Amino acid sequence: NEEEAEIVKVIYQEYIKLQSVRLVQKKLKELGYPVPRYQRISLTLRRRLYIGEVSFGNEYFPGAHQPII
């Protein structure tokens, strides 16, 4: 989903700059994006799927998909 991928990119970019999930929420609102709940943003930042990895058991491997980040 291209729209969701765009929001994920903005979340990562803004978090790198702002270092705060709450400030990321505020910035998303300013930019006119839908504003996910705090926990959803926090989980998004921790998901390795977005950097092109997949998990199997407790290990991570390169995925066959293109990374978003």
Side-chain angles (χ1 to χ4, degrees):
N1 180 334
E2 292 297 319
E3 188 174 315
E4 187 175 332
E6 167 106 13
I7 293 170
V8 169
K9 288 177 188 176
V10 172
I11 287 172
Y12 272 86
Q13 291 167 353
E14 293 303 323
Y15 188 78
I16 288 168
K17 287 190 273 186
L18 303 170
Q19 296 292 303
S20 165
V21 173
R22 297 249 183 253
L23 293 177
V24 169
Q25 287 176 306
K26 184 177 176 183
K27 186 66 173 183
L28 287 171
K29 186 175 181 178
E30 289 173 7
L31 295 172
Y33 289 103
V35 181
R37 293 177 182 245
Y38 183 97
Q39 185 175 359
R40 174 75 172 130
I41 293 176
S42 183
L43 290 172
T44 297
L45 292 167
R46 287 186 268 143
R47 288 196 73 199
R48 292 172 72 165
L49 179 71
Y50 296 127
I51 62 168
E53 295 182 348
V54 294
S55 65
F56 181 75
N58 291 333
E59 296 184 61
Y60 287 90
F61 302 93
H65 63 287
Q66 287 291 326
I68 295 174
I69 304 302

